[in-house]
Amino acid sequence: MIIYTILAWVCTGVGLAAFAYRLPDLLRRKHDIALWALCTYFLCSGISFLVDLDQLRLHISAFFGLPNITSLITQAAVVVLTAAQQVVLVYWSAPPEQARRMARRRVLLFGAALGVLVIASFVVGPVAQSETATSTILLSIQHRGYALYMSFYLLICAVGQFETVRLSLRFTTMANRQWLKVGMRTVTVGASLILVYCVTRGIQIAGTRFDYDAAALDPVQWTCGSVGALLQIAGWTIPSWGIRITRTRGWLRSYRSYQRLRPLWWALYQASPDIALDPPRSRARDLVPRRDPHYSLYRRVIEIRDGQLILRTSLSLADFTRVARSLDLPEDPTSPLGEALQVRAVLGRPPEERAERAERTETSDIPARPPYDDFRDEVEWLTRVASSFASLGQVRAGRIDAGLLS
C-alpha cells in the first residue's frame, strides 16, 4: 500500500503540474478547443487522484457530509478526462468541421453516461466505508447494486480508453514530428494499461458473484491504473517539452564543436587577427560564447576557413611534401592531417618570412579541398583537422621547422 500511496501522490502532482504548465498557453489561445480539452484532461487527472488520497478522502467526505463522496468525485473526473482526451484526438486528427461534429457526439455520449453514473451513485448509496479507497471499493463491490454501478463505470472507462488507443494509433501514422509520434505512442501504452485496470477490476466484480476471491489482483489493477495515467499525462506533454530536449542536444553539440575547434582557430587568429569578427576574450571567458552557440560555431568555421586561405600562399607543395616526408607522414595535403600539417608548417616560419612569401605568390600550388555543402559535414571535417593539429603540437614542432629548412 505504500507504493500505491506514492503512485497516487505522484499522479496528483504530475497531473496538476501539467495543467499549470499548459495554463499560460490556454490564456493566450482562448479559442483553441483542443487546448481547452487538454487542460481539462490534466486538471481532472490531478483531481481524480487528489480527492481519493487516504490522507484527504475522509476529511473531504466529512466536509460535504456524504460518505464516500470522494469515490464519486474521482469517477466523475475520470469520465470527464476520458471525454476530454477524445476531443483532443479528434481535433488533432480530423478536419475542423468534421472534428466539431465528432467532438460534439463524444461529449454528449460521455455527458449522458456521467449523468446516469451520478444518479446511480445516489440510488445505490454508500454501502461500505473504510480508511483506504482501495479497501472501500473491495468491500462495496460485494453488494449487487454497487457491483452493477461499478461495472457501468468500468464500461465507460473501457470504451473511452479503447477509442483512445484506436485514435492514437491512427494519429501516430499521420504525425510528421518525432516527439509527437513519441507522445502518441506513450498515450497508447498508457491507455492499454488502463484497459488492463478495467479488466482486472471487472474480474474482481465477477469474482464476488462466483465465490472467487480476486483480491490478489488488487496490486495489478491499481498499478496499471496509476502507471497508465502517468504515461498518458507524459504522452500528452511530450510534444511540448520534447522539442526542448532536441534543441538542448543541438546546443550541446554546437558548443562541444565550438570548443574543440578553438585550438586551431586560436592559432590561425594569432597569425591573422583580421579573421575574427569579435575580438577573442580570455580562455576562461571563452567557455561561454557571447552569442547563440550555433551562430558562434558558424562564425568559428568561417574564420578557420578564412585563416587557412590566408596562409595557403605562404607554403608551396614542395615545402609541404618535404615536411611530410621528414615526419614520415602521408603526403596528401587534402586529408585532415594534411590540412593540419600545412597550418603547423606555415606557423613555424617567422611572420616576416610568411608575409614575404605571400607577397611573392598570389596563388598556392597545393591542391585545395572544396568546402562541404552540408555545414555539419564541414564541422566534422574541421574537428578532425583540429585534432590532427593538436597531435602535431609541441612534440613535433622542432621537427617541422627542421623539415622546412632541409
Side-chain angles (χ1 to χ4, degrees), residues 26 30 57-58 120 122 195 242 247 258 278-279 302 313 328 370:
L26 182 62
K30 298 180 180 179
R57 58 186 300 275
L58 295 180
F122 286 102
L195 282 173
R247 290 172 180 167
Y258 175 81
D278 297 318
I302 296 300
T313 55
D328 296 324

Side-chain angles (χ1 to χ4, degrees), residues 25-36 91 100:
D25 288 339
L26 182 62
L27 296 177
R28 289 192 298 267
R29 297 153 52 187
K30 298 180 180 179
H31 302 291
D32 190 333
I33 297 178
L35 185 56
W36 271 98
Y91 266 92
R100 274 192 287 270

Side-chain angles (χ1 to χ4, degrees), residues 157-200:
C157 293
V159 170
Q161 296 304 326
F162 177 82
E163 187 68 1
T164 297
V165 170
R166 187 183 71 84
L167 291 174
S168 296
L169 289 174
R170 175 187 172 192
F171 186 63
T172 300
T173 61
M174 301 167 55
N176 56 3
R177 289 185 293 163
Q178 174 194 358
W179 287 109
L180 190 54
K181 288 179 179 289
V182 173
M184 288 301 94
R185 291 192 183 104
T186 306
V187 169
T188 302
V189 175
S192 300
L193 286 176
I194 295 176
L195 282 173
V196 174
Y197 157 81
C198 294
V199 172
T200 53

